[in-house]
Amino acid sequence: MEIKVLAFGIARDIIKASEIKLELSEQSTVDEVKDSLVKLYPDFNSLRNFAIAVNCEYVEDSAPVKQGDEIVIIPPVSGG
Amino acid sequence: MAIDIQLKATPLSSDECIKKVQDHHCGGLAVFIGTVRNQTQGRPVDHLEFEAYEPMAVKEMSKIAEQMMDRWNAKHVCIHHRTGHLALGDVAVIIAVSTAHRAEAFASCQYAIDTLKQTVPIWKKEIFEDGEVWVAAHP
């Protein structure tokens, strides 16, 4: 399946775009989203950490992702 | 009880936030105002850029406001956060809360800014004379 991933902050700088499409197998999880991002863009390894939000919620790495979900890379936040 | 959460690309107003939480039932009203510092570890800052993943940022700030009500009986909570270009001294965030007594006002306001900095998807880029950096991105 093809999923769309949105990027903000330094994640947008790393992928040099505000969104990318990833090809994942059916029944993939957040873990696989992270793995394929790191493989495509090793600079993600240089971050303190990064989370993935699915449909506007932080989720565990074991959470499933499916086509049509709003999937967003959340690099370390720095508001306030 | 009222919660007012806003992300704004225009200057924030502490008067507006205070008015949102004023209540004759409350004896305490605390306000935290976060502003743009002129230096980071001795390096002069020229200006800041804030960007937000807006729907989730609003959702996470709303969760904080609800926790302030649950844990400290906050009566009204107002959280306004800026996006876009901010100059030195500009206000980046205002948190206003009203409670029955002062201790709950201080404690819930402190909790709100500490939690906002850890959970709300907003990112700050510091622009220096000779470069720029996304704050807290790297170890």
Side-chain angles (χ1 to χ4, degrees):
Chain A
M1 64 176 177
E2 188 183 71
I3 60 158
K4 189 170 79 175
V5 181
L6 306 181
F8 290 91
I10 197 167
R12 187 163 35 74
D13 289 355
I14 289 173
I15 70 172
K16 299 185 172 64
S18 54
E19 63 175 72
I20 49 161
K21 295 194 163 91
L22 296 178
E23 187 59 40
L24 297 177
S25 55
E26 299 295 323
Q27 296 178 340
S28 286
T29 63
V30 164
D31 218 8
E32 280 140 318
V33 174
K34 286 183 158 180
D35 281 351
S36 60
L37 285 170
V38 169
K39 277 198 196 100
L40 286 167
Y41 305 98
D43 282 354
F44 277 111
N45 278 323
S46 74
L47 299 182
R48 184 193 301 273
N49 55 52
F50 69 100
I52 298 289
V54 177
N55 301 326
C56 283
E57 292 287 350
Y58 290 108
V59 292
E60 300 290 326
D61 285 355
S62 58
V65 294
K66 56 183 193 303
Q67 217 160 13
D69 281 343
E70 182 159 290
I71 300 168
V72 179
I73 308 166
I74 310 281
V77 302
S78 51
Chain B
M1 293 198 296
I3 293 178
D4 185 81
I5 307 291
Q6 291 187 41
L7 278 169
K8 298 173 78 162
T10 52
L12 305 184
S13 159
S14 51
D15 281 352
E16 182 187 338
C17 294
I18 289 168
K19 283 200 185 90
K20 300 259 186 194
V21 302
Q22 275 173 336
D23 189 310
H24 291 167
H25 294 98
C26 295
L29 193 166
V31 184
F32 174 80
I33 300 177
T35 59
V36 178
R37 256 197 324 247
N38 66 357
Q39 54 85 27
T40 290
Q41 291 166 341
R43 198 175 174 196
V45 170
D46 182 77
H47 69 275
L48 297 187
E49 299 277 349
F50 279 92
E51 90 176 51
Y53 171 30
E54 297 204 5
M56 185 172 170
V58 168
K59 204 168 175 177
E60 289 294 324
M61 288 192 284
S62 302
K63 282 184 196 169
I64 293 171
E66 283 158 18
Q67 288 158 2
M68 293 164 80
M69 290 175 159
D70 288 348
R71 293 174 59 178
W72 290 278
N73 260 321
K75 179 96 172 162
H76 308 288
V77 176
C78 177
I79 307 178
H80 288 187
H81 202 298
R82 270 297 301 274
T83 57
H85 180 115
L86 274 79
L88 299 182
D90 280 357
V91 174
V93 62
I94 301 174
I95 298 172
V97 56
S98 54
T99 57
H101 304 287
R102 67 184 183 284
E104 292 83 1
F106 282 124
S108 62
C109 197
Q110 166 113 47
Y111 170 82
I113 184 61
D114 290 350
T115 308
L116 181 149
K117 283 176 168 285
Q118 289 167 6
T119 64
V120 178
I122 296 177
W123 299 273
K124 168 166 51 190
K125 184 158 71 174
E126 287 176 331
I127 293 93
F128 306 99
E129 210 172 79
D130 56 348
E132 53 184 51
V133 66
W134 287 104
V135 175
H138 296 104

